[in-house]
Amino acid sequence: MKIAIIGLGLIGGSLAGDLTRLNQHQIIGISRRLTTCEKAKKLGIVHQSSTDLSLVQGCEIVIICTPIESTIPTLAQIIPYLSNTTVVTDVASVKAPIVREGKKLWHNFIGSHPMAGTAEQGIDAVQKNLFAHAPCVITAEDDEDRVKGALLRDLWQSVGCNILTTTAEIHDQAVAWISHLPVIISANLIYSCLQEKDRLVREFAQKIASSGFRDTSRVGGGNPELGLMMAKNNRDNLLANLRLYQAHLTTIINDVEAENWTKINDLLTITNQNRADFIK
Amino acid sequence: MKIAIIGLGLIGGSLAGDLTRLNQHQIIGISRRLTTCEKAKKLGIVHQSSTDLSLVQGCEIVIICTPIESTIPTLAQIIPYLSNTTVVTDVASVKAPIVREGKKLWHNFIGSHPMAGTAEQGIDAVQKNLFAHAPCVITAEDDEDRVKGALLRDLWQSVGCNILTTTAEIHDQAVAWISHLPVIISANLIYSCLQEKDRLVREFAQKIASSGFRDTSRVGGGNPELGLMMAKNNRDNLLANLRLYQAHLTTIINDVEAENWTKINDLLTITNQNRADFIK
């Protein structure tokens, strides 16, 4: 197949490389920057590379791997060059707003979310086998979408992904719980510790913090741009979850205050018994 | 030196073994249960073992390694057998209430908190070198305490601990921040996710949860008894920190709602830049 990948950063570049190495497709890499195109050719991760979006012409699949805010504007620009059967997808970590606008612009638009990545960005961060064993969500609002998604399932599977299919809305609600809410509560842990007014306590806390604090604070101390992007694009689901979290926290505070230790024991027993369902 | 260790679980038993293997002391292990005493002798982690608390007689150091709620009752029982110069310490993870009561009962009582452990408990969980490179806090309310603590510093250092000295109150406030608050906010994450009413969303969240969720939920899904014990014994400090955390969370929720993205960006930038101070 002829496949175009627009955006050659960590995700787009790594995907291009893995697909090129399969020796079954013709891979066209498109980037806004000529230097990135040249680097892609030098790295051998594409068969052809250019800054010219019209190169999507004749492609069976187009994968938009730009930053999330450029996904829909990029799709709008390539419409004139698409064949009627071309399937277009993206890789953004929030799906409902993208899929809603994408479907308005193109009848064969299906959302993807390969859940792979590192803390690094850009073409210099490109890795081989980045997608091995990573979950990849492919959105489907109905049976028609499921049929259209067949090509994409094969493509993501060919680079090692485990495919999951659901609606864009269920995807966004689920990632709000397991990815976006954790970023905020973890960041608030670090932030709250920093607000301790007694310098001796704050400094002693920093001295004795160990693996428990390290793990609980990890996602809240990560890349600020990624956290901000998640909050902006999945705002409503994140807000709903934050409010539920906040309400439960109030209950816990009241139970600790009232020394309802049976309730605290029940809480910690439930979480101890049910965490395994989230951990594979 | 002649050293008595009361309580031969993970901490007491491991400490007894490490000290016995140093070949410099006479180690007496005391347990409530005869079977534990016999196992300790068989494992070779003590020179002498008995259920009889009067064996602390003639010891230079006594280390109470019972569960936290038995620490002070045990101290009260051994007072008649102590020499005037005997230093008594404990290993509880909360220090102010123990040190306050301990000092009333015995003029040479100093608190210790070796920050080592595993998820296991009891004499069957005993490990060699459990304390290597672990921080060990030794409490000192004044200069007199610092002098009395010299023997204990040598002892914990001899099994590999890195010694930190501070007051019981600063210790408890600091562990509330970096250990006890994380347990509650992490448990509340798991609990809140479980309350999602839409079964499809809840199940999809469980399917796609990965390393971010795993790390953020780890301490909240741990041993319920330990979490409960921390909350009970360090209640006031935990409550104060939970309330500060709660207040900051309200600010964050309001900022997300009002789309004050600059504020959210500032928060995530501060946490990204300052987490390193807690992570060695």
Side-chain angles (χ1 to χ4, degrees):
Chain A
M1 279 194 299
K2 201 171 162 191
I3 299 170
I5 296 174
I6 307 175
L8 297 170
L10 170 65
I11 298 291
S14 298
L15 177 62
D18 284 355
L19 289 173
T20 297
R21 279 183 293 271
L22 287 179
N23 274 326
Q24 296 168 3
H25 310 292
Q26 192 193 344
I27 305 302
I28 297 158
I30 302 174
S31 169
R32 278 180 313 161
R33 295 164 66 186
L34 195 61
T35 52
T36 303
C37 296
E38 279 161 4
K39 200 169 268 182
K41 277 186 270 191
K42 215 170 137 191
L43 288 169
I45 59 175
V46 293
H47 295 110
Q48 197 182 341
S49 192
S50 162
T51 59
D52 181 1
L53 286 170
S54 74
L55 259 76
V56 301
Q57 211 148 18
C59 286
E60 278 104 331
I61 299 178
V62 178
I63 308 160
I64 303 174
C65 302
T66 63
I68 188 167
E69 64 275 12
S70 304
T71 305
I72 294 299
T74 301
L75 175 60
Q77 284 180 276
I78 63 172
I79 299 287
Y81 311 113
L82 300 177
S83 327
N84 192 47
T85 55
T86 305
V87 174
V88 182
T89 192
D90 73 312
V91 296
S93 59
V94 177
K95 297 266 60 94
I98 299 281
V99 169
R100 191 170 50 238
E101 296 306 312
K103 280 180 169 291
K104 282 185 202 162
L105 290 168
W106 187 244
H107 61 286
N108 274 343
F109 184 86
I110 298 280
S112 300
H113 178 201
M115 300 176 82
T118 67
E120 309 300 314
Q121 291 179 57
I123 193 163
D124 293 325
V126 159
Q127 285 186 10
K128 282 184 194 177
N129 299 317
L130 180 67
F131 304 97
H133 311 294
C136 179
V137 180
I138 298 179
T139 65
E141 309 308 312
D142 50 33
D143 284 345
E144 210 186 323
D145 275 355
R146 255 175 282 271
V147 174
K148 287 176 189 167
L151 270 186
L152 295 179
R153 284 196 292 278
D154 292 347
L155 180 128
W156 288 114
Q157 248 164 4
S158 75
V159 295
C161 287
N162 301 320
I163 307 299
L164 296 160
T165 303
T166 191
T167 66
E169 191 48 52
I170 289 179
H171 167 276
D172 287 1
Q173 288 181 31
V175 293
W177 279 122
I178 56 92
S179 174
H180 307 172
L181 177 65
V183 167
I184 299 293
I185 66 157
S186 171
N188 193 34
L189 172 64
I190 304 170
Y191 186 79
S192 299
C193 290
L194 293 169
Q195 305 311 306
E196 165 63 50
K197 287 202 181 67
D198 186 332
R199 189 177 55 83
L200 291 176
V201 172
R202 203 172 62 241
E203 289 178 0
F204 196 72
Q206 290 173 337
K207 264 189 206 157
I208 61 173
S210 66
S211 63
F213 188 87
R214 184 170 61 236
D215 284 0
T216 318
S217 68
R218 185 173 69 80
V219 298
N223 185 336
E225 285 170 46
L226 278 182
L228 184 63
M229 182 275 293
M230 289 169 172
K232 272 185 183 174
N233 289 285
N234 204 13
R235 171 178 168 274
D236 294 351
N237 291 316
L238 176 61
L239 259 183
N241 294 357
L242 277 168
R243 289 202 178 104
L244 278 167
Y245 184 94
Q246 174 86 321
H248 296 140
L249 193 62
T250 304
T251 306
I252 295 172
I253 292 174
N254 291 341
D255 285 337
V256 172
E257 169 138 55
E259 307 194 22
N260 282 336
W261 300 126
T262 314
K263 296 281 290 296
I264 300 297
N265 187 52
D266 290 349
L267 168 78
L268 296 173
T269 303
I270 289 171
T271 59
N272 175 252
Q273 287 170 350
N274 289 277
R275 178 172 175 260
D277 292 337
F278 294 87
I279 309 301
K280 267 66 65 181
Chain B
M1 276 192 300
K2 201 170 163 191
I3 300 171
I5 296 175
I6 307 176
L8 297 171
L10 170 66
I11 298 293
S14 298
L15 177 62
D18 283 356
L19 288 173
T20 296
R21 279 184 292 273
L22 286 178
N23 275 326
Q24 295 169 4
H25 310 293
Q26 191 192 345
I27 306 301
I28 297 158
I30 302 174
S31 169
R32 276 180 314 159
R33 295 164 64 187
L34 195 62
T35 52
T36 304
C37 296
E38 280 162 3
K39 200 170 267 181
K41 276 185 272 191
K42 214 169 137 190
L43 288 171
I45 59 175
V46 293
H47 294 109
Q48 195 181 345
S49 192
S50 162
T51 59
D52 181 1
L53 286 171
S54 75
L55 259 76
V56 301
Q57 211 148 17
C59 287
E60 278 105 332
I61 299 179
V62 178
I63 308 161
I64 303 174
C65 301
T66 64
I68 187 168
E69 64 275 13
S70 304
T71 306
I72 293 300
T74 301
L75 175 60
Q77 283 181 275
I78 62 172
I79 299 286
Y81 311 112
L82 301 177
S83 325
N84 193 47
T85 54
T86 305
V87 175
V88 182
T89 192
D90 73 314
V91 296
S93 59
V94 177
K95 298 266 60 98
I98 299 280
V99 169
R100 191 169 51 238
E101 297 305 312
K103 281 179 168 289
K104 283 185 202 163
L105 289 168
W106 188 245
H107 61 284
N108 274 343
F109 185 86
I110 298 281
S112 300
H113 178 202
M115 301 176 80
T118 67
E120 310 300 313
Q121 291 180 55
I123 193 164
D124 294 325
V126 158
Q127 285 185 12
K128 283 184 191 174
N129 298 317
L130 181 66
F131 305 97
H133 310 296
C136 179
V137 180
I138 297 178
T139 65
E141 309 308 311
D142 50 34
D143 283 346
E144 209 186 323
D145 276 354
R146 255 175 281 272
V147 174
K148 288 177 188 167
L151 269 187
L152 295 179
R153 284 195 292 278
D154 292 347
L155 180 127
W156 288 114
Q157 247 163 2
S158 75
V159 295
C161 287
N162 302 320
I163 308 299
L164 297 160
T165 302
T166 190
T167 67
E169 192 48 51
I170 289 178
H171 168 276
D172 287 1
Q173 289 182 32
V175 292
W177 279 122
I178 56 92
S179 173
H180 306 173
L181 177 65
V183 167
I184 300 293
I185 66 157
S186 171
N188 192 35
L189 172 65
I190 304 171
Y191 186 80
S192 299
C193 290
L194 293 169
Q195 305 311 307
E196 165 63 52
K197 286 201 181 66
D198 186 333
R199 190 176 55 83
L200 292 175
V201 172
R202 204 173 59 242
E203 289 178 1
F204 197 73
Q206 290 173 337
K207 264 188 205 159
I208 60 173
S210 67
S211 63
F213 189 87
R214 184 168 62 236
D215 284 0
T216 318
S217 68
R218 185 173 70 79
V219 297
N223 184 338
E225 284 169 47
L226 278 182
L228 184 63
M229 182 276 292
M230 288 169 173
K232 272 185 184 177
N233 289 285
N234 204 13
R235 173 177 167 274
D236 294 352
N237 290 316
L238 176 61
L239 260 183
N241 294 357
L242 276 168
R243 290 204 177 101
L244 278 167
Y245 184 92
Q246 171 94 322
H248 295 140
L249 194 61
T250 304
T251 307
I252 294 171
I253 291 173
N254 291 341
D255 285 336
V256 173
E257 169 138 56
E259 307 195 21
N260 280 336
W261 301 124
T262 315
K263 296 280 290 296
I264 300 297
N265 187 51
D266 290 349
L267 168 78
L268 296 173
T269 304
I270 287 171
T271 60
N272 175 251
Q273 287 170 350
N274 288 277
R275 178 171 175 259
D277 291 338
F278 293 87
I279 309 300
K280 268 67 65 181

